Each structure stands twice: as structure tokens, then as C-alpha cells.
Amino acid sequence: MTSDTRTDTREDHAPAAGGGKDDGETKGTVLIALLANVAIAIAKAVTGALTGSPALLAEAAHSIADTLNEVFLLASVPLSKRKPDAQHPFGYGKERFFWALLAAVGIFVTGGCFSFYQGLHGWLSPESDASESFLITYVVLGVSLAAEGASLLRAVVQLRGRARSHGRSLFQEVAKSTDPTVRTVFAEDATAVLGVLLAAGGVLGHQLTGAPQWEAGAALAIALLLILVAYLLGRSARDLLVGQAVDPRLQQEAYEMLAEQKEIDTVAVLLTMRLGVDSALLAARVDLHAGLDSEEVEEVSERIKRDLRDKHPGFGEIFLDIVDADRDERARAHARKQEVDRAVEEQDAQQEGPPQQ
């Protein structure tokens, strides 16, 4: 591009990716998990206090943590849908990522740390006068397992639907989904089911051997499980909050669409960042062919943005910067494009079908 004209254009546009149905399903999934956890948290806490069971008390802390987290997650859905304003020109989409991070912290502090304390205390100072009425403990654990299993099934159904639409397996969807709300509920429910089974194993060991350390050991195992899950969820939420690029295939499609424009000579830089569950930002520096005046540059920029948005409505914010790319910038642009292509190839090798964004 020989002209020294530079433009940095922006058009406010609400994300067109339809998240209404998904948000309704997400609210339903979180609400079911919340109602289940309120009931079983009370049952576990009361029974644990009466029996002195460290495993049951650890599970009560686990359910309380999940209950508080689901309140956070339920509130995050409408908060993330608020319209952009002067203080938040890119909207509030990352609210959902923030509350997911708080949920991970809640799992660690309320669930993991308290469970670890209960397990350590029960191991070092077993209650000699602890109740050995195991029947009520088994009943509470059985009801908890049924409630947690039903909630987990709801989360699995929603995730499977999304996985099919994205051409992924269930576990790939859990790992790569940009909606931390359903992923957190799935992780909490799966952990809760495992926690109930660990607690039941500890109670059974206590019943068969007469040694309360079995329940303390179960509480310690539950604590380690919760700490691990909290770390994984927290790391995922952190990546989204810091600023995570969109799926490599979507980057590749944006690259190719820009490169196909007859006015563009080189796509020097293409940057993307997720602004929310169903919206993202795209910023590109492009070198145009010589011979365009400033008015033509403006028209070309607007048309390219419109075409990008029509094909990928999830790009709610699109910036184009017109530059004169030198030889070094062209070489770096080619290397960056190859990195994206390799990422897509690796992604395709890990799954049966390409993801659809």
C-alpha cells in the first residue's frame, strides 16, 4: 500500500450469536443443581453433627460450597447480558467468567479447606463417643447420591447437545467450552457424586473395622478432590478473564476471508479475544493494494467488516487498521498464519469432526 492513509474503524454491534436458548437451559441446569444442594446440604450437616462423622461433615461443607457457587452462577447469567455503557464499552460478557472464578475459590475455601480440616481432625483425634448409627448416614448419602446424580444428568444432557453441535466429544466440550457456568455445574456435580461414594466407603470401612479413621481418610480424599477441581476450574476462568483467543478454526476462517478480499494484499496481524460466552473481538492490521484513495479505503473497510460480521455474527467488535507492511512484517504474518493452521490440524487430529463456532 503506497498511500499513507490509515483508518481505525469501529462499529458498535450487539453480538448476533443466539445465546437466548442456551442461557435458558443454563439457568435451568444451575437451578436444579441449586435446589438439590440446598436440601442435601441441610441433611448432611444435621446428620453429620448428630453422628460426629467427619466424612459426612466434609460432604456437608462440599454441598454448602456448591450451593453458594450456584447462587453466584445463577446471578452471573443476567449480569453478563447487560448492555455496554460508558464505563464498560465492550459490555459485561466477562461477568460470567468472573463469577466462575469466584465459584472455584469457593470450592477451594469452603469445600476443600474445611474438608481437609475435618479429615485431619478426625484422623488425629478420632471421636471415641461418635455415634455408630450407620443406617441414617447411609440413607442421607443415598438420597444425596440420587439428587446429585439427577443434577449431573441434566448437565450432561446440556453438554452433550452442545458437543454434538460443535463436533466434539462430551469431555472435549467440557474442556473447551467457553461457557464456564455449565462446565462448573458439571464439575461440581461429578465431584459431588464421587464425594458421596468416597464418604460411603469411609463409613463402610468404619462400620466393618470399628476404626473412625476410615471416615477421616474419606474426608481427606474429598478435600484433595475438591482442591484439584477448584484449581482446574480456576485456571480455566483465569484464562478467559485474562483474554483468550477464539477457536483456532474460527481464526483460520477469518484469516482466509480477509486474504480473499481483492483489495487486501497482506493480513499483517489478526488478533481475537473472547468478550463473553457468545461474543468476541477481532482486530486486524491489513495492507491494501496500491491505488486506493482515502474514500475507497473507508468503503472497503466498512464492507469487509460487514461481510465478516455476516459470516461470523459472534464478532461483536471488529477493528481494521490499514498499514504499509514491510518485508519483515510479511514474514511474521506468514509465520503467525502457519501457527494457526497447525493449531487447527492438531485440533482436527484430536476429534472426529471439525468444531463449529
Side-chain angles (χ1 to χ4, degrees), residues 273-300:
M273 182 176 67
R274 294 202 174 278
L275 300 176
V277 172
D278 53 10
S279 65
L281 174 149
L282 182 149
R285 301 179 67 191
V286 297
D287 186 356
L288 301 182
H289 290 292
L292 298 176
D293 59 30
S294 59
E295 184 175 343
E296 288 175 315
V297 167
E298 183 69 23
E299 291 176 355
V300 167

Side-chain angles (χ1 to χ4, degrees), residues 177-320:
S177 174
T178 58
D179 186 352
T181 306
V182 178
R183 178 169 53 210
T184 301
V185 172
F186 172 83
E188 287 180 347
D189 289 341
T191 305
V193 170
L194 289 175
V196 169
L197 295 175
L198 286 171
V203 173
L204 180 61
H206 181 187
Q207 182 180 15
L208 295 177
T209 66
Q213 283 87 352
W214 278 90
E215 293 194 45
L220 290 171
I222 291 169
L224 293 176
L225 179 63
L226 291 174
I227 290 171
L228 174 62
V229 170
Y231 167 73
L232 295 175
L233 290 175
R235 185 178 66 177
S236 175
R238 177 207 63 189
D239 291 342
L240 289 167
L241 278 172
V242 169
Q244 190 176 68
V246 301
D247 184 88
R249 182 169 295 280
L250 187 53
Q251 295 180 54
Q252 184 185 61
E253 291 177 1
Y255 260 117
E256 293 173 350
M257 184 173 178
L258 288 171
E260 288 170 358
Q261 303 301 314
K262 63 180 184 298
E263 297 88 357
I264 293 180
D265 178 63
T266 302
V267 181
V269 177
L270 189 143
L271 304 173
T272 63
M273 182 176 67
R274 294 202 174 278
L275 300 176
V277 172
D278 53 10
S279 65
L281 174 149
L282 182 149
R285 301 179 67 191
V286 297
D287 186 356
L288 301 182
H289 290 292
L292 298 176
D293 59 30
S294 59
E295 184 175 343
E296 288 175 315
V297 167
E298 183 69 23
E299 291 176 355
V300 167
S301 297
E302 292 301 318
R303 192 199 74 233
I304 292 173
K305 289 193 303 177
R306 184 172 58 252
D307 292 346
L308 269 171
R309 192 170 286 118
D310 288 343
K311 186 172 182 180
H312 301 293
F315 284 128
E317 302 287 346
I318 297 177
F319 299 82
L320 291 180

Side-chain angles (χ1 to χ4, degrees), residues 108-127:
F108 176 81
V109 175
T110 309
C113 292
F114 184 80
S115 298
F116 185 81
Y117 166 77
Q118 283 294 327
L120 189 62
H121 177 74
W123 188 273
L124 297 177
S125 304
E127 298 288 341

